[in-house]
Amino acid sequence: QVQLVESGGGLVQAGGSLRLSCAASGRTFSSYAMGWFRQAPGKEREFVAAISWSGGKRYYADSLKGRFTISRDNAKNTVYLQMNSLKPEDTAVYYCAADPDPDTVVAATEWGYWGQGTQVTVSS
């Protein structure tokens, strides 16, 4: 069982940066893949980024490559999402996800554990 708590969201101007954190409980965190998804009002939840249990493999939505960076610290049971050059279209609730072995990281249905989400609002 893994419990996830996101933090770090807020209001930022376009061009600014934010770093989201997701703290996980449970002794098995280091064996789980971790991911970030986001959901804007009226839209489906979409994949943002994912990282393997060791941190050796990272995956990004094509549209976000170069602006967002996912990382993890297994000693702190925490995964991060560094977001730079933010745009108004990045406004969404950002969710942290965990799973022992998601077959397809871009599919939300492959992830078994979810946080409650943190709001990110980018003003123009």
Side-chain angles (χ1 to χ4, degrees):
Q1 190 79 9
V2 176
Q3 292 183 327
L4 307 171
V5 179
E6 302 96 333
S7 61
L11 175 63
V12 64
Q13 288 189 333
S17 298
L18 281 175
R19 188 176 80 155
L20 305 182
S21 299
C22 173
S25 64
R27 293 173 290 178
T28 57
F29 171 80
S30 60
S31 66
Y32 278 59
M34 301 296 296
W36 287 97
F37 286 74
R38 68 185 184 183
Q39 188 166 18
K43 295 187 177 182
E44 293 186 353
R45 191 168 298 190
E46 66 171 346
F47 172 75
V48 173
I51 188 167
S52 62
W53 66 272
S54 67
K57 295 182 179 180
R58 306 183 190 196
Y59 310 87
Y60 296 95
D62 288 343
S63 62
L64 301 176
K65 285 181 181 177
R67 294 197 298 124
F68 288 16
T69 302
I70 189 170
S71 61
R72 68 188 295 162
D73 185 337
N74 285 344
K76 295 182 178 180
N77 278 14
T78 302
V79 64
Y80 305 97
L81 184 68
Q82 178 68 43
M83 306 185 295
N84 298 328
S85 302
L86 283 163
K87 305 175 181 180
E89 51 264 42
D90 294 319
T91 295
V93 177
Y94 283 70
Y95 296 91
C96 177
D99 196 271
D101 187 20
D103 289 335
T104 307
V105 297
V106 301
T109 54
E110 291 292 320
W111 297 83
Y113 301 95
W114 292 88
Q116 82 289 349
T118 186
Q119 177 70 47
V120 171
T121 303
V122 184
S123 63
S124 57

